[in-house]
């Protein structure tokens, strides 16, 4: 799976996760080609993407892929087998030896103990020079995981993101996944809310219709409105759409810049609430504007000048994602100031 985009996050940022791509750990061709992908985070998969009789060789292949990677490119993560599967110990003993590993994705997280076990393994096995930088991405895939979100999110300082795994979640609850996704609203909303509450990144579900760009855009736009900062990808062709959709639109950026600058000007005069195009602007709206501008900057999008903003706002909101973004940042978590 590929994480296409990780925009800023409260504690730091899961920039990895704007677009996160999962690469089967036993597929030599895909492992080699993954190094040229534009994902924010490459997730080498040792779990569902690898058959049981290939687990041992996959561990070594993933380790070799990590060692062959470059630090300046996408964040490198490994999805291990679930804690309690009997396979996680061997997974961690191999991949944690790589000094280029940056994150561990733990599937099927149900409690704080799952997180704490992996963190203790990092302390024991990872090279001393890099172990402090290894992050944990907790994949929530069950009803119990959703009910235990608080203890999972606060289990360890290494926890960097909460990831929603739709297929396993639907299987656990006996749900039929639909295009509208109303059956998953509670789980997705709970994960996004918990992530923001505890300064983590919220990474949304995979779009399984990887050849249908319309469905992918719908999912991205809805996920962004729910508070997700990035999305998983199941195929490289999804990455560009995910990265663009999770950036603010030109109209949002222009409006946010106007509001933020207006607030600064009024604050100098001791005015806390002001009028903007017939609407009352107070501090919560200003905070929203700050987050929009932060996400834009982290995505490599220049903030337009007052003259440019006037032209953009005259055109009106566009349903299409920002088309001017040239790059996406790949590190961190989302915060509520100017770095989301």
């Amino acid at each position: 799976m590929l994480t296409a985009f990780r925009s800023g996050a409260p504690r730091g940022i899961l920039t990895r996760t704007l677009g996160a791509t999962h690469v089967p750990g036993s597929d030599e061709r895909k492992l080699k080609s993954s190094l040229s992908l534009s994902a924010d985070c490459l997730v080498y998969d040792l779990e569902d993407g690898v058959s049981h009789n290939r687990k041992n060789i996959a561990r070594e292949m993933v380790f070799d892929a990590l060692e062959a990677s470059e630090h300046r490119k996408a964040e490198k993560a490994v999805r291990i087998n679930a804690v309690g599967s009997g396979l996680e110990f061997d997974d961690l003993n191999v991949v944690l030896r790589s000094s280029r590993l940056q994150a561990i994705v733990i599937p099927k997280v149900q409690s704080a103990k799952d997180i704490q076990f992996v963190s203790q393994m990092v302390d024991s096995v990872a090279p001393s020079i890099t172990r402090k930088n290894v992050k944990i991405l907790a994949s929530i895939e069950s009803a119990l995981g959703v009910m235990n979100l608080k203890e999972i999110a606060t289990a360890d300082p290494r926890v960097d993101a909460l990831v929603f795994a739709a297929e396993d979640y639907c299987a656990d609850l006996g749900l039929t996944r639909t295009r509208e996704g109303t059956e998953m609203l509670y789980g997705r909303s709970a994960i996004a809310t918990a992530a923001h509450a505890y300064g983590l990144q919220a990474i949304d579900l995979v779009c399984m219709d990887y050849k249908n760009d319309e469905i992918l855009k719908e999912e991205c736009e809805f996920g962004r409105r729910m508070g997700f900062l990035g999305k998983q990808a199941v195929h490289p062709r999804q990455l560009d759409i995910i990265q663009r959709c999770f950036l603010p639109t030109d109209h949002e950026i222009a409006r946010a810049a106007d509001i933020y600058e207006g607030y600064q000007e009024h604050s100098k005069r001791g005015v806390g609430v002001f009028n903007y195009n017939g609407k009352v602007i107070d501090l919560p709206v200003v905070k929203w504007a700050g987050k929009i501008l932060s996400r834009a900057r982290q995505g490599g999008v220049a903030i337009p000048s007052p003259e440019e903003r006037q032209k953009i706002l005259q055109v009106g909101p566009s349903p299409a994602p920002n088309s001017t973004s040239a790059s996406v940042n790949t590190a961190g978590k989302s915060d509520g100031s100017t770095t989301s």
Side-chain angles (χ1 to χ4, degrees), residues 147-213:
M147 298 307 293
N148 289 337
L149 278 170
K150 180 179 179 179
E151 71 168 75
I152 291 169
T154 59
D156 190 274
R158 283 197 171 94
V159 178
D160 191 58
L162 299 178
V163 183
F164 180 56
E167 301 303 324
D168 286 275
Y169 178 81
C170 287
D172 185 59
L173 275 68
L175 307 176
T176 299
R177 184 172 174 179
T178 65
R179 179 168 176 169
E180 295 75 19
T182 53
E183 67 282 351
M184 298 179 287
L185 276 177
Y186 176 76
R188 291 172 78 188
S189 181
I191 288 169
T193 300
H196 283 277
Y198 299 107
L200 310 177
Q201 278 209 348
I203 308 305
D204 203 9
L205 48 73
V206 172
C207 177
M208 302 303 288
D209 295 287
Y210 71 93
K211 292 184 178 181
N212 192 318
D213 292 349

Side-chain angles (χ1 to χ4, degrees), residues 8 54 81 88 132 136 138 144 159 173 186 197 201 221 238-239 250 253 259 273 276 281 322:
R54 297 273 292 172
N81 286 277
E88 71 279 13
K132 69 179 184 299
I136 291 176
L144 183 58
V159 178
L173 275 68
Y186 176 76
Q201 278 209 348
E221 290 164 5
Q238 297 177 313
L239 290 173
D250 290 333
I253 295 170
I259 290 172
V273 178
Y276 174 73
I281 303 299
N322 187 297

Side-chain angles (χ1 to χ4, degrees), residues 29-260:
R29 179 184 64 82
K30 291 182 179 179
L31 287 171
K32 288 182 178 179
S33 65
S34 69
L35 300 178
S36 63
L37 294 175
S38 62
D40 298 292
C41 178
L42 290 173
V43 181
Y44 295 115
D45 189 18
L46 294 176
E47 196 209 13
D48 292 344
V50 178
S51 63
H52 196 274
N53 64 351
R54 297 273 292 172
K55 297 289 187 182
N56 287 332
I57 192 170
R59 294 182 184 113
E60 298 301 332
M61 291 172 68
V62 166
F63 176 83
D64 292 341
L66 289 169
E67 292 298 285
S69 64
E70 299 179 29
H71 288 296
R72 62 181 177 83
K73 294 187 177 180
E75 180 182 33
K76 308 302 186 302
V78 174
R79 180 167 74 167
I80 62 171
N81 286 277
V83 176
S85 66
L87 301 169
E88 71 279 13
F89 187 80
D90 289 340
D91 291 345
L92 291 166
N93 265 321
V94 173
V95 301
L96 284 174
R97 291 187 289 111
S98 174
S99 61
R100 295 195 170 183
L101 175 70
Q102 294 165 284
I104 293 291
V105 180
I106 312 175
K108 302 175 176 61
V109 176
Q110 307 225 67
S111 70
K113 292 181 180 179
D114 298 340
I115 303 292
Q116 292 158 356
F117 168 77
V118 172
S119 186
Q120 290 167 4
M121 287 289 293
V122 173
D123 287 332
S124 300
V125 180
S128 58
I129 194 171
T130 58
R131 69 177 54 154
K132 69 179 184 299
N133 298 321
V134 177
K135 303 297 183 182
I136 291 176
L137 285 67
S139 184
I140 308 302
E141 311 185 13
S142 66
L144 183 58
V146 170
M147 298 307 293
N148 289 337
L149 278 170
K150 180 179 179 179
E151 71 168 75
I152 291 169
T154 59
D156 190 274
R158 283 197 171 94
V159 178
D160 191 58
L162 299 178
V163 183
F164 180 56
E167 301 303 324
D168 286 275
Y169 178 81
C170 287
D172 185 59
L173 275 68
L175 307 176
T176 299
R177 184 172 174 179
T178 65
R179 179 168 176 169
E180 295 75 19
T182 53
E183 67 282 351
M184 298 179 287
L185 276 177
Y186 176 76
R188 291 172 78 188
S189 181
I191 288 169
T193 300
H196 283 277
Y198 299 107
L200 310 177
Q201 278 209 348
I203 308 305
D204 203 9
L205 48 73
V206 172
C207 177
M208 302 303 288
D209 295 287
Y210 71 93
K211 292 184 178 181
N212 192 318
D213 292 349
E214 181 182 354
I215 292 178
L216 177 60
K217 289 177 183 178
E218 287 177 4
E219 287 191 7
C220 288
E221 290 164 5
F222 189 68
R224 188 164 83 93
R225 291 196 299 271
M226 291 188 72
F228 286 94
L229 299 177
K231 186 176 181 69
Q232 303 166 82
V234 74
H235 192 279
R237 74 181 304 276
Q238 297 177 313
L239 290 173
D240 182 62
I241 291 176
I242 292 174
Q243 289 173 327
R244 287 187 289 114
C245 282
F246 276 89
L247 285 172
T249 64
D250 290 333
H251 188 274
E252 287 174 327
I253 295 170
R255 181 170 180 266
D258 273 2
I259 290 172
Y260 202 78

